[in-house]
């Protein structure tokens, strides 16, 4: 893996960590615009699980060269683009969508021998 590819992989891990932090912070939300407690718990735990899966796919999956893990990570740009369109949060979600597409392009599986040609 080249230094450029490793940097893109680290960026995907950072997206996983940000997902954990952002969604977990919903659990502590208070005020008039806060969700009910059970919804806060559901959002926080679901976001934390998504973040852990992103980190696992970005590390173990990409390092092993598995195409399925790279395809599974394509949920990131879709996730960020949906947020940008539905919530109007072009900064940062629109930027995150573009950066995650670039990271996926850089980390795409490349096969140098014929044993993986059927995948």
């Amino acid at each position: 893996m080249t230094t450029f590819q490793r940097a893109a992989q680290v960026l995907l891990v950072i997206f996983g960590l940000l997902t954990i932090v952002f969604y977990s912070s919903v659990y502590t939300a208070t005020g008039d615009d806060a969700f009910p407690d059970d919804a806060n718990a559901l959002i926080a735990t679901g976001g934390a699980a998504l973040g852990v899966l992103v980190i696992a796919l970005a590390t173990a999956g990409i390092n092993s060269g598995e195409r399925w893990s790279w395809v599974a990570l394509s949920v990131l740009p879709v996730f960020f683009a949906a947020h940008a369109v539905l919530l109007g949060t072009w900064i940062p979600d629109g930027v995150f969508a573009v950066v995650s597409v670039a990271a996926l392009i850089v980390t795409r599986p490349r096969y140098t021998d014929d044993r993986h040609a059927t995948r």
Side-chain angles (χ1 to χ4, degrees):
M1 183 175 280
T2 68
T3 304
F4 198 55
Q5 290 170 324
R6 182 68 65 191
Q9 183 184 26
V10 168
L11 188 62
L12 292 170
V13 170
I14 290 170
F15 282 139
L17 291 171
L18 286 174
T19 301
I20 293 169
V21 170
F22 289 157
Y23 280 93
S24 297
S25 68
V26 171
Y27 191 70
T28 61
T30 59
D32 293 337
D33 59 344
F35 294 106
D37 288 340
D38 55 345
N40 280 343
L42 184 62
I43 292 167
T45 56
L50 174 64
V52 168
L53 288 172
V54 166
I55 292 168
L57 288 169
T59 55
I62 288 178
N63 283 344
S64 67
E66 295 291 334
R67 185 176 303 270
W68 67 265
S69 64
W70 181 81
V71 171
L73 280 168
S74 65
V75 74
L76 281 177
V78 173
F79 173 77
F80 290 130
H83 275 204
V85 170
L86 296 173
L87 302 174
T89 54
W90 295 100
I91 305 290
D93 288 323
V95 174
F96 287 171
V98 172
V99 172
S100 62
V101 166
L104 286 171
I105 289 170
V106 169
T107 59
R108 74 187 180 278
R110 293 178 182 90
Y111 300 116
T112 57
D113 60 16
D114 292 333
R115 67 188 171 106
H116 295 292
T118 59
R119 285 188 179 174

